[in-house]
């Protein structure tokens, strides 16, 4: 909102830059070890909290993970889950999976677990009696907002989903009504590309927009 209370106008140059931001966001898998400037995570979480949430519940909970022992538990949980996932593929697909670098756990200076607080009283249940999963979707909105804000600062994030949520929750000693939504590795990217890594290596192709719209 501008000083006089009117909504700002986003011109063509801004819209072009916004599209570039989306295209260059990327799920980062390799990081530089450089530390982030002090206060960066807090600033990004503040921006992430501008995301929409069902009933204005704001159920996201960001947990920074810096303790070496807790990180070790997360690393082991990833290794176990990654090994199990590898066994779910055969032939060339299995070989390709084995070559993928799916974790930035050894390089990224920051690790961030993002939980959804299913016990929050905020919002008084508005909008989620019939769709309680809206709490989780709200947290995903905040994660995406965090991701874009980070990219705008030249910072990258990698979403690590090859984990047992129960083991992560136990390792981080969070309230039992919190559920893990994402585990993020955060830092400066070691390499940059507009194309998704999985598209580059031939794992999957970009879906045609015509396949994602259904008209009735």
């Amino acid at each position: 909102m501008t000083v006089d209370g009117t909504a700002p106008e986003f011109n063509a140059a801004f819209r072009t830059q916004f599209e570039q931001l989306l295209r260059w966001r990327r799920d980062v898998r390799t990081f530089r070890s450089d530390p982030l400037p002090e206060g960066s995570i807090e600033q990004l979480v503040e921006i992430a909290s501008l995301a929409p949430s069902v009933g204005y519940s704001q159920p996201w909970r960001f947990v920074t993970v810096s303790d070496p022992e807790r990180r070790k538990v997360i690393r082991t949980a990833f290794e176990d889950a990654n090994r199990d996932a590898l066994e779910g593929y055969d032939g060339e697909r299995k070989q390709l999976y084995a070559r993928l670098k799916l974790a930035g756990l050894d390089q990224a200076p920051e690790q961030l677990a993002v939980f959804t607080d299913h016990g929050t009283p905020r919002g008084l249940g508005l909008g989620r009696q019939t769709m309680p999963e809206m709490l989780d979707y709200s947290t995903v909105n905040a994660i995406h907002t965090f991701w874009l804000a980070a990219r705008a600062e030249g910072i990258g994030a990698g979403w690590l989903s090859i984990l047992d949520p129960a083991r992560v929750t136990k390792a981080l000693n969070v309230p039992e009504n919190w559920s893990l939504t994402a585990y993020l590795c955060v830092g400066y990217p070691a390499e940059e590309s507009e194309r998704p890594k999985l598209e580059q290596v031939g794992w999957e192709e970009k879906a045609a927009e015509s396949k994602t719209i259904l008209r009735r």
Side-chain angles (χ1 to χ4, degrees):
M1 183 178 292
T2 56
V3 176
D4 61 0
T6 60
E9 292 186 10
F10 301 107
N11 60 26
F14 175 87
R15 293 193 295 272
T16 297
Q17 287 188 311
F18 180 66
E19 181 179 346
Q20 290 177 330
L21 176 64
L22 294 174
R23 291 183 180 279
W24 281 88
R25 174 199 50 80
R26 299 284 57 84
D27 190 15
V28 178
R29 295 303 174 185
T30 56
F31 296 86
R32 305 198 322 250
S33 58
D34 315 36
L36 299 181
E38 186 175 353
S40 292
I41 294 297
E42 290 78 6
Q43 180 183 1
L44 294 175
V45 169
E46 183 177 353
I47 295 175
S49 296
L50 297 174
S53 61
V54 62
Y56 203 34
S57 56
Q58 302 171 78
W60 42 80
R61 305 289 181 262
F62 290 83
V63 179
T64 59
V65 184
S66 55
D67 179 73
E69 290 303 313
R70 296 184 194 275
R71 284 193 174 196
K72 184 178 179 180
V73 173
I74 302 299
R75 187 71 171 84
T76 301
F78 164 74
E79 291 171 349
D80 292 344
N82 194 46
R83 184 172 54 252
D84 292 342
L86 177 62
E87 294 307 313
Y89 298 101
D90 297 306
E92 293 183 3
R93 183 66 65 173
K94 184 173 184 178
Q95 295 176 20
L96 178 55
Y97 181 93
R99 293 195 299 270
L100 292 174
K101 185 174 180 61
L102 296 171
L105 294 172
D106 299 325
Q107 302 167 328
E110 300 288 343
Q111 295 182 24
L112 201 61
V114 189
F115 292 85
T116 299
D117 181 1
H118 287 271
T120 180
R122 289 190 58 91
L124 306 175
L126 178 65
R128 60 181 194 262
Q129 287 89 349
T130 54
M131 295 183 66
E133 62 270 24
M134 288 300 293
L135 278 178
D136 300 277
Y137 297 162
S138 298
T139 301
V140 172
N141 270 323
I143 293 167
H144 190 240
T145 305
F146 176 97
W147 217 333
L148 292 178
R151 176 66 274 188
E153 296 286 343
I155 299 170
W159 187 326
L160 182 60
S161 59
I162 306 175
L163 286 169
D164 178 0
R167 290 175 67 175
V168 176
T169 300
K170 182 178 180 181
L172 299 183
N173 190 30
V174 299
E176 61 181 14
N177 54 12
W178 290 16
S179 65
L180 182 69
T181 304
Y183 197 90
L184 304 176
C185 297
V186 183
Y188 293 112
E191 57 184 29
E192 303 272 12
S193 178
E194 183 179 349
R195 290 182 67 202
K197 188 67 175 182
L198 294 181
E199 185 178 349
Q200 293 180 46
V201 301
W203 184 265
E204 189 56 271
E205 297 179 353
K206 186 180 186 301
E209 284 74 9
S210 60
K211 300 292 185 181
T212 62
I213 301 176
L214 187 65
R215 304 188 186 281
R216 287 289 184 265

